[in-house]
Amino acid sequence: VFAALAMAARLLADKGRTGYWAGYRGWAPSTVEWCEVNYELCSWIAEFWNSFSSLAIIAAGVIGVVLSQRYGQGEMRFILAYLAIIGVGIGSVLFHMTLLRPMQILDEVPMIYAAQVMLFCILENDTRKRKYGSLLPVALCIHAVVVTALVTFTSGALQFYVFQVSFGSLELSTLALVARSAVAETDSVARRLYFRGFAAYALALLCWASDIHFCEFLRQMVPANPQLHAWWHVLVSCGLYTLTVAGQHARLRVLAADSPDGDQHAIIEVICHVLPVAKLKMAR
């Protein structure tokens, strides 16, 4: 199906591949592009598949917000995490649709913020009372201001590496802490969830790196470029949502243990055989 859609896109392509957004309002172009051929489908979407696949990020965030409001015991930390994911998805759509520098910033800066919220969630996940008080959120806010300025006001290769180092360090730190939680996990359902989340995340990173380093080869593949950056969007959305649900399950277990009556316990349910959700269930 994907190959057929890709071939149809080529047949419908604007032969000139001059896009609507090129030079829009005098805005500078983005400092990075991906392996997808620009304006292959139409003249007003620079990277169609990368833009379309970014909707998966938005969907993961929206689903997370809805289910967290229903089952998350009113805590805002995970709702904020999912809202940050929605922001990443919106920025990603705008960036890949236009390939303009301001839209690139709207893609990258929310990624920093989302990683910071996730880091806060995992560091403050195992006790009802916050271990680090106001120190952690203040430190994260200061870091956010500094990194936002660096990402916004640098350019070229320097900007690319500033963002990758800033986001990558947050991402790897958070994943390492999540991995530690996974190793210590005793619930078999939650352990499987961690495994699936890490597997999706690892495959997503492989797609991301391959799209960068093997672009010429990928563009010559028959019948079509597999659009690995688009698959990065889909797979990282699945992995991120799954790992976040596992973290929510651990958090609900802490809240259930501290409940006055002790008549609740945390479980993971799967909705429609596809969608995992963490919730509290009354003990019988």
Side-chain angles (χ1 to χ4, degrees), residues 232-245:
W232 146 260
H233 289 158
V234 175
L235 290 168
V236 81
S237 299
C238 295
L240 186 58
Y241 174 81
T242 302
L243 292 175
T244 305
V245 170

Side-chain angles (χ1 to χ4, degrees), residues 26-48:
W27 289 348
S30 62
T31 60
V32 62
E33 292 187 16
W34 305 99
C35 195
E36 181 175 357
V37 176
N38 296 349
Y39 299 105
E40 188 173 29
L41 181 58
C42 62
S43 62
W44 51 276
I45 300 179
E47 295 176 343
F48 177 82

Side-chain angles (χ1 to χ4, degrees), residues 203-277:
L203 187 56
L205 289 172
L206 179 63
C207 290
W208 179 87
S210 299
D211 187 80
I212 293 176
H213 295 292
F214 304 110
C215 180
E216 291 304 317
F217 171 77
L218 294 171
R219 285 184 173 180
Q220 296 173 12
M221 288 185 67
V222 176
N225 180 347
Q227 307 297 351
L228 293 184
H229 193 79
W231 285 110
W232 146 260
H233 289 158
V234 175
L235 290 168
V236 81
S237 299
C238 295
L240 186 58
Y241 174 81
T242 302
L243 292 175
T244 305
V245 170
Q248 285 182 291
H249 172 259
R251 180 62 181 169
L252 289 177
R253 190 163 51 200
V254 170
L255 298 179
D258 290 343
S259 62
D261 301 326
D263 58 349
Q264 293 179 317
H265 65 279
I267 62 169
I268 295 173
E269 289 189 356
V270 180
I271 300 175
C272 299
H273 305 285
V274 175
L275 195 65
V277 58

